[in-house]
Amino acid sequence: MTFPDVSKFGFSALAAIAAASLATPAAAQGGCAREQLEKDAQDWVDAVEAGSPFEMELGEWVDYKENFKLGTMSGFFTKPRKVDWNLKVIDPMACKAFIEAVVLDEEKPMVLATQLTRGYFGVGPIENLVTSEGDWLFNAARTYEFASKEDWSPIPEAERATRKELIAVADAYLDLFNDPSVDVPWGTPCARLEGGIYTGKGEATDSCNIGVPSGVELKARKYVVDPVIGAVDVFLKFGENELPDSHLFRIENGKIRYVHTVTNCKGEPNCGFPAVDWDNPPGPPEAE
């Protein structure tokens, strides 16, 4: 990238141009190629499996955040880990990709939710939400069991919602936590996956309208939107403790089909709620 001749601009103007270019690569570039973002997403999976971030085409300077705090990639990529399942959400308009991944590592099983951004010179920044034992309803084996059976295949082109429509559906669900009057476009069937708890029973009447906490603000939302598979991932800060959280939606015909929740509890076991007896886990609640 070539900057204008400094002699023709004041320093403040030049700084503003540079800052805008670096801070908003999607706007400056007019979007990114889907194929490139798909490669970036797969490179992330390959990096986790290799235990090295250098499987990726990294930018010249990469801000890495883990659970919404600045961290170091060397602190995460400590060893090779097999990725047993993953789902990719590709957003060419925003130059972003999202990857949800399950690692069934015996030493430290994890469920990851990761948003990548492609800038001018490669991937960066990277926001990686890491959950493991003690986080909200964490059970990697059950997450794998249920997620791997879901259908996230492409939506027929004539039936795809717009980016704006997909975000509106996701926001309706998230707004419900703080406003019970919100009208959420529930689909039937619908299944919610929160850690190892799954509400889907394989029946045509399965519903996601089974209640949510009330008076809880879900703020600082960051979106990755993929109309091809009807998906929206939202990174957000959950509640007054601002827990790092990912909500992933599959939306079909304008209605919610799947919801995945990944929440880091910031060191408080199960976010302060009683632990689950995984030998006798609770069944899905009845729909309202």
Side-chain angles (χ1 to χ4, degrees):
M1 177 170 56
T2 302
F3 287 110
D5 185 347
V6 177
S7 65
K8 297 181 181 179
F9 293 86
F11 178 80
S12 297
L14 182 58
I17 292 170
S21 299
L22 296 174
T24 57
Q29 296 173 196
C32 296
R34 186 177 186 89
E35 294 76 13
Q36 178 63 65
L37 293 169
E38 288 172 343
K39 182 180 184 301
D40 292 340
Q42 183 57 48
D43 287 349
W44 169 261
V45 173
D46 294 344
V48 174
E49 294 203 315
S52 169
F54 299 109
E55 297 295 312
M56 295 182 285
E57 182 187 356
L58 297 172
E60 292 185 354
W61 183 268
V62 180
D63 283 335
Y64 173 79
K65 289 185 179 180
E66 188 165 305
N67 299 325
F68 298 175
K69 292 184 177 181
L70 282 174
T72 62
M73 285 190 285
S74 61
F76 173 73
F77 291 102
T78 56
K79 70 169 190 176
R81 294 181 172 92
K82 179 185 176 185
V83 175
D84 295 276
W85 174 87
N86 74 90
L87 175 66
K88 304 178 183 73
V89 176
I90 306 300
D91 188 342
M93 182 174 291
C95 285
K96 297 179 75 172
F98 167 77
I99 307 95
E100 185 173 275
V102 177
V103 175
L104 300 178
D105 180 72
E106 289 187 3
E107 180 182 340
K108 185 178 180 180
M110 298 185 294
V111 176
L112 309 174
T114 311
Q115 289 191 2
L116 310 175
T117 300
R118 168 157 279 270
Y120 278 109
F121 308 112
V123 173
I126 299 172
E127 295 203 54
N128 191 24
L129 203 164
V130 181
T131 63
S132 56
E133 191 67 38
D135 286 314
W136 176 241
L137 299 175
F138 180 83
N139 188 308
R142 285 174 61 92
T143 299
Y144 169 83
E145 175 187 355
F146 299 122
S148 62
K149 295 176 182 177
E150 294 178 342
D151 179 9
W152 290 78
S153 60
I155 303 287
E157 190 167 357
E159 300 174 13
R160 292 174 189 171
T162 66
R163 179 187 186 87
K164 184 177 179 180
E165 289 167 340
L166 292 170
I167 291 175
V169 172
D171 276 342
Y173 180 95
L174 300 174
D175 290 345
L176 183 65
F177 284 69
N178 201 37
D179 182 357
S181 70
V182 172
D183 183 18
V184 180
W186 305 109
T188 306
C190 181
R192 283 164 58 174
L193 177 60
E194 298 192 38
I197 300 297
Y198 197 59
T199 65
K201 296 181 283 187
E203 300 176 3
T205 56
D206 286 349
S207 176
C208 289
N209 187 15
I210 53 177
V212 299
S214 60
V216 179
E217 186 178 3
L218 309 185
K219 54 190 176 181
R221 301 175 190 178
K222 298 180 181 180
Y223 304 88
V224 178
V225 186
D226 187 346
V228 172
I229 63 171
V232 184
D233 177 69
V234 189
F235 271 15
L236 56 89
K237 295 179 180 179
F238 192 103
E240 62 181 11
N241 292 329
E242 299 190 341
L243 300 176
D245 179 279
S246 167
H247 268 70
L248 173 65
F249 301 87
R250 160 84 166 190
I251 297 161
E252 299 175 1
N253 298 313
K255 298 182 182 294
I256 297 173
R257 177 64 182 93
Y258 299 124
V259 184
H260 290 188
T261 303
V262 179
T263 308
N264 179 278
C265 291
K266 296 170 71 170
E268 184 174 11
N270 205 39
C271 298
F273 291 87
V276 176
D277 178 4
W278 293 113
D279 292 328
N280 186 30
E286 294 300 322
E288 295 179 353

PDB file of all heavy atoms in Angstrom, residues 63-87:
ATOM      1  N   ASP A  63      -3.270  -8.350  16.569  1.00  0.00           N
ATOM      2  CA  ASP A  63      -3.815  -8.280  17.918  1.00  0.00           C
ATOM      3  C   ASP A  63      -4.546  -9.588  18.198  1.00  0.00           C
ATOM      4  O   ASP A  63      -5.479  -9.954  17.473  1.00  0.00           O
ATOM      5  CB  ASP A  63      -4.807  -7.119  18.057  1.00  0.00           C
ATOM      6  CG  ASP A  63      -4.104  -5.781  18.177  1.00  0.00           C
ATOM      7  OD1 ASP A  63      -2.941  -5.766  18.611  1.00  0.00           O
ATOM      8  OD2 ASP A  63      -4.716  -4.763  17.832  1.00  0.00           O
ATOM      9  N   TYR A  64      -4.109 -10.296  19.230  1.00  0.00           N
ATOM     10  CA  TYR A  64      -4.743 -11.556  19.623  1.00  0.00           C
ATOM     11  C   TYR A  64      -5.432 -11.363  20.969  1.00  0.00           C
ATOM     12  O   TYR A  64      -4.797 -10.960  21.952  1.00  0.00           O
ATOM     13  CB  TYR A  64      -3.706 -12.677  19.727  1.00  0.00           C
ATOM     14  CG  TYR A  64      -4.272 -13.971  20.281  1.00  0.00           C
ATOM     15  CD1 TYR A  64      -5.009 -14.837  19.479  1.00  0.00           C
ATOM     16  CD2 TYR A  64      -4.072 -14.315  21.623  1.00  0.00           C
ATOM     17  CE1 TYR A  64      -5.540 -16.002  19.996  1.00  0.00           C
ATOM     18  CE2 TYR A  64      -4.592 -15.495  22.141  1.00  0.00           C
ATOM     19  CZ  TYR A  64      -5.329 -16.334  21.325  1.00  0.00           C
ATOM     20  OH  TYR A  64      -5.856 -17.493  21.837  1.00  0.00           O
ATOM     21  N   LYS A  65      -6.729 -11.596  20.983  1.00  0.00           N
ATOM     22  CA  LYS A  65      -7.480 -11.520  22.232  1.00  0.00           C
ATOM     23  C   LYS A  65      -8.028 -12.893  22.575  1.00  0.00           C
ATOM     24  O   LYS A  65      -8.575 -13.588  21.714  1.00  0.00           O
ATOM     25  CB  LYS A  65      -8.636 -10.523  22.116  1.00  0.00           C
ATOM     26  CG  LYS A  65      -8.207  -9.078  22.049  1.00  0.00           C
ATOM     27  CD  LYS A  65      -9.411  -8.141  22.059  1.00  0.00           C
ATOM     28  CE  LYS A  65      -8.962  -6.686  22.024  1.00  0.00           C
ATOM     29  NZ  LYS A  65     -10.125  -5.752  22.026  1.00  0.00           N
ATOM     30  N   GLU A  66      -7.866 -13.267  23.840  1.00  0.00           N
ATOM     31  CA  GLU A  66      -8.406 -14.532  24.326  1.00  0.00           C
ATOM     32  C   GLU A  66      -9.397 -14.228  25.432  1.00  0.00           C
ATOM     33  O   GLU A  66      -9.052 -13.584  26.423  1.00  0.00           O
ATOM     34  CB  GLU A  66      -7.282 -15.434  24.833  1.00  0.00           C
ATOM     35  CG  GLU A  66      -7.752 -16.838  25.173  1.00  0.00           C
ATOM     36  CD  GLU A  66      -6.579 -17.807  25.316  1.00  0.00           C
ATOM     37  OE1 GLU A  66      -5.772 -17.902  24.352  1.00  0.00           O
ATOM     38  OE2 GLU A  66      -6.454 -18.439  26.367  1.00  0.00           O
ATOM     39  N   ASN A  67     -10.620 -14.650  25.222  1.00  0.00           N
ATOM     40  CA  ASN A  67     -11.705 -14.341  26.148  1.00  0.00           C
ATOM     41  C   ASN A  67     -11.799 -12.833  26.403  1.00  0.00           C
ATOM     42  O   ASN A  67     -11.960 -12.369  27.535  1.00  0.00           O
ATOM     43  CB  ASN A  67     -11.548 -15.136  27.446  1.00  0.00           C
ATOM     44  CG  ASN A  67     -11.598 -16.636  27.188  1.00  0.00           C
ATOM     45  OD1 ASN A  67     -12.322 -17.096  26.315  1.00  0.00           O
ATOM     46  ND2 ASN A  67     -10.802 -17.393  27.918  1.00  0.00           N
ATOM     47  N   PHE A  68     -11.663 -12.081  25.299  1.00  0.00           N
ATOM     48  CA  PHE A  68     -11.837 -10.631  25.242  1.00  0.00           C
ATOM     49  C   PHE A  68     -10.731  -9.852  25.946  1.00  0.00           C
ATOM     50  O   PHE A  68     -10.872  -8.667  26.194  1.00  0.00           O
ATOM     51  CB  PHE A  68     -13.205 -10.217  25.795  1.00  0.00           C
ATOM     52  CG  PHE A  68     -14.387 -10.756  25.026  1.00  0.00           C
ATOM     53  CD1 PHE A  68     -15.673 -10.542  25.482  1.00  0.00           C
ATOM     54  CD2 PHE A  68     -14.221 -11.468  23.854  1.00  0.00           C
ATOM     55  CE1 PHE A  68     -16.768 -11.033  24.777  1.00  0.00           C
ATOM     56  CE2 PHE A  68     -15.300 -11.973  23.143  1.00  0.00           C
ATOM     57  CZ  PHE A  68     -16.581 -11.749  23.602  1.00  0.00           C
ATOM     58  N   LYS A  69      -9.610 -10.502  26.256  1.00  0.00           N
ATOM     59  CA  LYS A  69      -8.466  -9.810  26.835  1.00  0.00           C
ATOM     60  C   LYS A  69      -7.256 -10.011  25.927  1.00  0.00           C
ATOM     61  O   LYS A  69      -7.083 -11.081  25.339  1.00  0.00           O
ATOM     62  CB  LYS A  69      -8.148 -10.325  28.234  1.00  0.00           C
ATOM     63  CG  LYS A  69      -9.207  -9.989  29.280  1.00  0.00           C
ATOM     64  CD  LYS A  69      -8.756 -10.457  30.653  1.00  0.00           C
ATOM     65  CE  LYS A  69      -9.748 -10.069  31.747  1.00  0.00           C
ATOM     66  NZ  LYS A  69      -9.296 -10.497  33.095  1.00  0.00           N
ATOM     67  N   LEU A  70      -6.414  -8.984  25.825  1.00  0.00           N
ATOM     68  CA  LEU A  70      -5.203  -9.131  25.035  1.00  0.00           C
ATOM     69  C   LEU A  70      -4.370 -10.283  25.576  1.00  0.00           C
ATOM     70  O   LEU A  70      -4.154 -10.411  26.777  1.00  0.00           O
ATOM     71  CB  LEU A  70      -4.384  -7.838  25.069  1.00  0.00           C
ATOM     72  CG  LEU A  70      -4.878  -6.703  24.158  1.00  0.00           C
ATOM     73  CD1 LEU A  70      -4.058  -5.451  24.413  1.00  0.00           C
ATOM     74  CD2 LEU A  70      -4.797  -7.106  22.691  1.00  0.00           C
ATOM     75  N   GLY A  71      -3.931 -11.130  24.676  1.00  0.00           N
ATOM     76  CA  GLY A  71      -3.135 -12.274  25.085  1.00  0.00           C
ATOM     77  C   GLY A  71      -2.019 -12.512  24.085  1.00  0.00           C
ATOM     78  O   GLY A  71      -1.734 -11.681  23.222  1.00  0.00           O
ATOM     79  N   THR A  72      -1.390 -13.665  24.203  1.00  0.00           N
ATOM     80  CA  THR A  72      -0.324 -14.048  23.280  1.00  0.00           C
ATOM     81  C   THR A  72      -0.693 -15.364  22.622  1.00  0.00           C
ATOM     82  O   THR A  72      -1.202 -16.279  23.269  1.00  0.00           O
ATOM     83  CB  THR A  72       1.018 -14.213  24.010  1.00  0.00           C
ATOM     84  OG1 THR A  72       0.912 -15.267  24.983  1.00  0.00           O
ATOM     85  CG2 THR A  72       1.410 -12.917  24.716  1.00  0.00           C
ATOM     86  N   MET A  73      -0.433 -15.461  21.332  1.00  0.00           N
ATOM     87  CA  MET A  73      -0.719 -16.714  20.638  1.00  0.00           C
ATOM     88  C   MET A  73       0.156 -17.846  21.152  1.00  0.00           C
ATOM     89  O   MET A  73      -0.256 -19.014  21.146  1.00  0.00           O
ATOM     90  CB  MET A  73      -0.562 -16.512  19.134  1.00  0.00           C
ATOM     91  CG  MET A  73      -1.722 -15.734  18.533  1.00  0.00           C
ATOM     92  SD  MET A  73      -1.726 -15.707  16.734  1.00  0.00           S
ATOM     93  CE  MET A  73      -0.408 -14.523  16.437  1.00  0.00           C
ATOM     94  N   SER A  74       1.341 -17.507  21.626  1.00  0.00           N
ATOM     95  CA  SER A  74       2.206 -18.552  22.170  1.00  0.00           C
ATOM     96  C   SER A  74       1.601 -19.181  23.426  1.00  0.00           C
ATOM     97  O   SER A  74       1.873 -20.335  23.744  1.00  0.00           O
ATOM     98  CB  SER A  74       3.589 -17.991  22.486  1.00  0.00           C
ATOM     99  OG  SER A  74       3.509 -16.956  23.466  1.00  0.00           O
ATOM    100  N   GLY A  75       0.759 -18.427  24.130  1.00  0.00           N
ATOM    101  CA  GLY A  75       0.099 -18.977  25.308  1.00  0.00           C
ATOM    102  C   GLY A  75      -1.023 -19.926  24.968  1.00  0.00           C
ATOM    103  O   GLY A  75      -1.405 -20.771  25.788  1.00  0.00           O
ATOM    104  N   PHE A  76      -1.565 -19.810  23.736  1.00  0.00           N
ATOM    105  CA  PHE A  76      -2.630 -20.721  23.308  1.00  0.00           C
ATOM    106  C   PHE A  76      -2.075 -21.898  22.529  1.00  0.00           C
ATOM    107  O   PHE A  76      -2.469 -23.049  22.737  1.00  0.00           O
ATOM    108  CB  PHE A  76      -3.653 -19.961  22.463  1.00  0.00           C
ATOM    109  CG  PHE A  76      -4.695 -20.851  21.848  1.00  0.00           C
ATOM    110  CD1 PHE A  76      -5.697 -21.425  22.625  1.00  0.00           C
ATOM    111  CD2 PHE A  76      -4.673 -21.130  20.486  1.00  0.00           C
ATOM    112  CE1 PHE A  76      -6.647 -22.262  22.057  1.00  0.00           C
ATOM    113  CE2 PHE A  76      -5.623 -21.957  19.919  1.00  0.00           C
ATOM    114  CZ  PHE A  76      -6.619 -22.527  20.710  1.00  0.00           C
ATOM    115  N   PHE A  77      -1.177 -21.614  21.600  1.00  0.00           N
ATOM    116  CA  PHE A  77      -0.632 -22.676  20.753  1.00  0.00           C
ATOM    117  C   PHE A  77       0.528 -23.361  21.475  1.00  0.00           C
ATOM    118  O   PHE A  77       1.695 -23.182  21.135  1.00  0.00           O
ATOM    119  CB  PHE A  77      -0.169 -22.098  19.412  1.00  0.00           C
ATOM    120  CG  PHE A  77      -1.288 -21.635  18.529  1.00  0.00           C
ATOM    121  CD1 PHE A  77      -1.589 -20.285  18.428  1.00  0.00           C
ATOM    122  CD2 PHE A  77      -2.043 -22.537  17.807  1.00  0.00           C
ATOM    123  CE1 PHE A  77      -2.626 -19.849  17.612  1.00  0.00           C
ATOM    124  CE2 PHE A  77      -3.083 -22.120  16.993  1.00  0.00           C
ATOM    125  CZ  PHE A  77      -3.379 -20.773  16.897  1.00  0.00           C
ATOM    126  N   THR A  78       0.186 -24.151  22.460  1.00  0.00           N
ATOM    127  CA  THR A  78       1.212 -24.793  23.283  1.00  0.00           C
ATOM    128  C   THR A  78       1.557 -26.203  22.818  1.00  0.00           C
ATOM    129  O   THR A  78       2.613 -26.734  23.160  1.00  0.00           O
ATOM    130  CB  THR A  78       0.772 -24.862  24.749  1.00  0.00           C
ATOM    131  OG1 THR A  78      -0.494 -25.543  24.828  1.00  0.00           O
ATOM    132  CG2 THR A  78       0.621 -23.460  25.333  1.00  0.00           C
ATOM    133  N   LYS A  79       0.665 -26.808  22.020  1.00  0.00           N
ATOM    134  CA  LYS A  79       0.915 -28.163  21.525  1.00  0.00           C
ATOM    135  C   LYS A  79      -0.093 -28.453  20.414  1.00  0.00           C
ATOM    136  O   LYS A  79      -1.128 -27.798  20.311  1.00  0.00           O
ATOM    137  CB  LYS A  79       0.785 -29.190  22.642  1.00  0.00           C
ATOM    138  CG  LYS A  79      -0.643 -29.393  23.133  1.00  0.00           C
ATOM    139  CD  LYS A  79      -0.755 -30.600  24.048  1.00  0.00           C
ATOM    140  CE  LYS A  79      -2.214 -30.955  24.332  1.00  0.00           C
ATOM    141  NZ  LYS A  79      -2.311 -32.183  25.135  1.00  0.00           N
ATOM    142  N   PRO A  80       0.184 -29.457  19.575  1.00  0.00           N
ATOM    143  CA  PRO A  80      -0.812 -29.858  18.579  1.00  0.00           C
ATOM    144  C   PRO A  80      -2.054 -30.435  19.262  1.00  0.00           C
ATOM    145  O   PRO A  80      -1.956 -31.155  20.256  1.00  0.00           O
ATOM    146  CB  PRO A  80      -0.083 -30.935  17.762  1.00  0.00           C
ATOM    147  CG  PRO A  80       1.373 -30.695  18.000  1.00  0.00           C
ATOM    148  CD  PRO A  80       1.467 -30.183  19.408  1.00  0.00           C
ATOM    149  N   ARG A  81      -3.227 -30.079  18.735  1.00  0.00           N
ATOM    150  CA  ARG A  81      -4.489 -30.595  19.263  1.00  0.00           C
ATOM    151  C   ARG A  81      -5.396 -30.969  18.086  1.00  0.00           C
ATOM    152  O   ARG A  81      -5.640 -30.142  17.209  1.00  0.00           O
ATOM    153  CB  ARG A  81      -5.191 -29.546  20.130  1.00  0.00           C
ATOM    154  CG  ARG A  81      -4.474 -29.176  21.408  1.00  0.00           C
ATOM    155  CD  ARG A  81      -5.279 -28.139  22.195  1.00  0.00           C
ATOM    156  NE  ARG A  81      -4.732 -27.890  23.517  1.00  0.00           N
ATOM    157  CZ  ARG A  81      -3.853 -26.945  23.805  1.00  0.00           C
ATOM    158  NH1 ARG A  81      -3.422 -26.154  22.836  1.00  0.00           N
ATOM    159  NH2 ARG A  81      -3.413 -26.788  25.039  1.00  0.00           N
ATOM    160  N   LYS A  82      -5.919 -32.161  18.086  1.00  0.00           N
ATOM    161  CA  LYS A  82      -6.833 -32.575  17.035  1.00  0.00           C
ATOM    162  C   LYS A  82      -8.150 -31.817  17.158  1.00  0.00           C
ATOM    163  O   LYS A  82      -8.736 -31.738  18.239  1.00  0.00           O
ATOM    164  CB  LYS A  82      -7.095 -34.076  17.111  1.00  0.00           C
ATOM    165  CG  LYS A  82      -8.061 -34.566  16.037  1.00  0.00           C
ATOM    166  CD  LYS A  82      -8.394 -36.037  16.210  1.00  0.00           C
ATOM    167  CE  LYS A  82      -9.428 -36.475  15.187  1.00  0.00           C
ATOM    168  NZ  LYS A  82      -9.860 -37.882  15.393  1.00  0.00           N
ATOM    169  N   VAL A  83      -8.612 -31.256  16.065  1.00  0.00           N
ATOM    170  CA  VAL A  83      -9.931 -30.625  16.022  1.00  0.00           C
ATOM    171  C   VAL A  83     -10.918 -31.688  15.550  1.00  0.00           C
ATOM    172  O   VAL A  83     -10.889 -32.119  14.395  1.00  0.00           O
ATOM    173  CB  VAL A  83      -9.941 -29.405  15.078  1.00  0.00           C
ATOM    174  CG1 VAL A  83     -11.347 -28.836  14.957  1.00  0.00           C
ATOM    175  CG2 VAL A  83      -8.977 -28.340  15.595  1.00  0.00           C
ATOM    176  N   ASP A  84     -11.785 -32.130  16.450  1.00  0.00           N
ATOM    177  CA  ASP A  84     -12.668 -33.251  16.155  1.00  0.00           C
ATOM    178  C   ASP A  84     -13.914 -32.832  15.376  1.00  0.00           C
ATOM    179  O   ASP A  84     -14.524 -33.657  14.689  1.00  0.00           O
ATOM    180  CB  ASP A  84     -13.064 -33.940  17.459  1.00  0.00           C
ATOM    181  CG  ASP A  84     -11.874 -34.577  18.137  1.00  0.00           C
ATOM    182  OD1 ASP A  84     -11.518 -35.708  17.775  1.00  0.00           O
ATOM    183  OD2 ASP A  84     -11.268 -33.918  19.013  1.00  0.00           O
ATOM    184  N   TRP A  85     -14.299 -31.580  15.483  1.00  0.00           N
ATOM    185  CA  TRP A  85     -15.443 -31.055  14.727  1.00  0.00           C
ATOM    186  C   TRP A  85     -15.277 -29.557  14.609  1.00  0.00           C
ATOM    187  O   TRP A  85     -14.766 -28.905  15.529  1.00  0.00           O
ATOM    188  CB  TRP A  85     -16.754 -31.374  15.446  1.00  0.00           C
ATOM    189  CG  TRP A  85     -17.959 -30.734  14.805  1.00  0.00           C
ATOM    190  CD1 TRP A  85     -18.714 -31.241  13.788  1.00  0.00           C
ATOM    191  CD2 TRP A  85     -18.557 -29.458  15.143  1.00  0.00           C
ATOM    192  NE1 TRP A  85     -19.728 -30.369  13.457  1.00  0.00           N
ATOM    193  CE2 TRP A  85     -19.666 -29.268  14.272  1.00  0.00           C
ATOM    194  CE3 TRP A  85     -18.264 -28.479  16.079  1.00  0.00           C
ATOM    195  CZ2 TRP A  85     -20.467 -28.124  14.327  1.00  0.00           C
ATOM    196  CZ3 TRP A  85     -19.057 -27.337  16.129  1.00  0.00           C
ATOM    197  CH2 TRP A  85     -20.152 -27.175  15.260  1.00  0.00           C
ATOM    198  N   ASN A  86     -15.681 -29.012  13.467  1.00  0.00           N
ATOM    199  CA  ASN A  86     -15.677 -27.561  13.355  1.00  0.00           C
ATOM    200  C   ASN A  86     -16.754 -27.115  12.383  1.00  0.00           C
ATOM    201  O   ASN A  86     -17.181 -27.866  11.498  1.00  0.00           O
ATOM    202  CB  ASN A  86     -14.299 -27.035  12.950  1.00  0.00           C
ATOM    203  CG  ASN A  86     -13.977 -27.283  11.492  1.00  0.00           C
ATOM    204  OD1 ASN A  86     -14.266 -26.463  10.621  1.00  0.00           O
ATOM    205  ND2 ASN A  86     -13.364 -28.445  11.212  1.00  0.00           N
ATOM    206  N   LEU A  87     -17.183 -25.874  12.550  1.00  0.00           N
ATOM    207  CA  LEU A  87     -18.163 -25.235  11.676  1.00  0.00           C
ATOM    208  C   LEU A  87     -17.644 -23.856  11.331  1.00  0.00           C
ATOM    209  O   LEU A  87     -17.204 -23.108  12.213  1.00  0.00           O
ATOM    210  CB  LEU A  87     -19.515 -25.125  12.391  1.00  0.00           C
ATOM    211  CG  LEU A  87     -20.616 -24.361  11.650  1.00  0.00           C
ATOM    212  CD1 LEU A  87     -21.030 -25.115  10.387  1.00  0.00           C
ATOM    213  CD2 LEU A  87     -21.825 -24.157  12.554  1.00  0.00           C
TER     214      LEU A  87
END
